[in-house]
Amino acid sequence: MRFLVVEDDAGLSAAVARGLREHAYVVDVAGDGESALYQASITPYDVIILDLSLPKVDGLEVCRRIRHAGSAVRILMLTARGRTEDRVHGLDSGADDYLPKPFEFEELLARVRALMRRRGDRVDDPTYRLADLEIDFLAQRVSRAGVPVDLTTKEFTLLAYLARNAGRVIGRAELTEHVWDENHDPSSNAVEVYINRLRKKIDGPGRQPLIQTRRGAGYFLARPGAGQAESR
């Protein structure tokens, strides 16, 4: 999942981004409203964490413009303003939730999970099981037939995205947009490289393959014997 953190306090922005990355989320940052609007216009973010007081274009106007453009991205608004009318203005501008500063990072994560749950996403589920594969999203642990599988952060992020969209074919472009950040070169073969790494670790010798390929379309997770790959 890919986040945009919009915050002009560099220290807070870095801390939030670091915490999200430690939970296997992909994070881009913006320090002002203009940059936020540009990045939101070119990238289909899953969640935008948006400060209310921003240089150039304030958070309320950023939120309004994003909604006016037709985006349904989840927006969590941050602000040091604690008045009820400020919270009302934020929600009326199109924000999904409102978190006053200062806040604990665990509360921010809980609010993000609540936003995802409202939209019906699996991100709120603590674990995911497919055949003998088990993924613990919160602890970032993976096992197959009870045997731990050692994954890098990027490998786990990719597997988690496939799991949260299990059964749906996901194209290369979508994986690039949601699993890699703005520093990724879309012309590289990183998606294929990481899919192959996952297959070696998840679908090793003697195991039924779970990571499938639909030729010309993309990748998906499927139960053994269901929707077998056209190529591997």
Side-chain angles (χ1 to χ4, degrees):
M1 290 179 55
R2 191 164 176 180
F3 286 65
L4 176 62
V5 175
V6 189
E7 170 61 63
D8 63 330
D9 181 327
L12 178 58
S13 176
V16 171
R18 181 173 59 252
L20 290 170
R21 288 174 181 135
E22 288 174 353
H23 283 77
Y25 295 123
V26 179
V27 185
D28 297 330
V29 298
D32 61 73
E34 283 186 1
S35 298
L37 287 168
Y38 173 72
Q39 289 178 245
S41 72
I42 63 173
T43 302
Y45 290 104
D46 298 291
V47 177
I48 296 178
I49 297 174
L50 177 64
D51 186 33
L52 181 58
S53 300
L54 293 169
K56 300 184 180 179
V57 182
D58 69 29
L60 289 177
E61 184 62 20
V62 170
C63 194
R64 290 190 192 102
R65 293 189 194 180
I66 289 174
R67 293 303 186 218
H68 184 71
S71 173
V73 63
R74 304 152 186 88
I75 298 177
L76 175 61
M77 189 166 281
L78 306 178
T79 181
R81 304 176 191 175
R83 297 182 304 170
T84 299
E85 63 184 274
D86 293 321
R87 294 195 294 272
V88 170
H89 288 325
L91 295 171
D92 283 347
S93 71
D96 294 288
D97 199 1
Y98 196 102
L99 182 61
K101 301 176 183 177
F103 57 86
E104 296 293 334
F105 183 73
E106 289 304 318
E107 182 181 0
L108 183 146
L109 279 180
R111 287 178 180 263
V112 166
R113 291 195 295 268
L115 288 180
M116 307 304 281
R117 182 175 63 245
R118 291 175 203 168
R119 300 289 181 89
D121 290 318
R122 280 198 187 98
V123 68
D124 190 57
D125 297 338
T127 59
Y128 171 76
R129 294 178 179 84
L130 176 67
D132 58 354
L133 173 69
E134 181 171 326
I135 303 171
D136 184 328
F137 291 121
L138 298 181
Q140 296 183 42
R141 288 195 293 261
V142 177
S143 63
R144 184 88 195 260
V147 179
V149 179
D150 185 22
L151 300 180
T152 66
T153 298
K154 183 61 66 180
E155 290 166 352
F156 180 86
T157 303
L158 176 56
L159 180 63
Y161 193 79
L162 291 172
R164 287 165 177 153
N165 294 273
R168 181 170 72 86
V169 178
I170 306 172
R172 184 179 185 278
E174 181 178 343
L175 289 174
T176 297
E177 290 169 346
H178 291 271
V179 180
W180 276 265
D181 63 19
E182 60 190 343
N183 297 313
H184 173 67
D185 179 0
S187 65
S188 74
N189 66 339
V191 172
E192 292 77 10
V193 168
Y194 276 89
I195 286 289
N196 286 333
R197 289 182 183 177
L198 276 181
R199 280 183 168 140
K200 290 178 181 178
K201 294 183 177 183
I202 301 296
D203 296 338
R207 293 175 175 170
Q208 289 289 329
L210 301 179
I211 301 172
Q212 306 288 336
T213 301
R214 183 69 51 80
R215 189 184 298 277
Y219 308 96
F220 63 105
L221 282 180
R223 293 188 178 280
Q228 291 301 309
E230 296 178 13
S231 67
R232 290 204 63 198

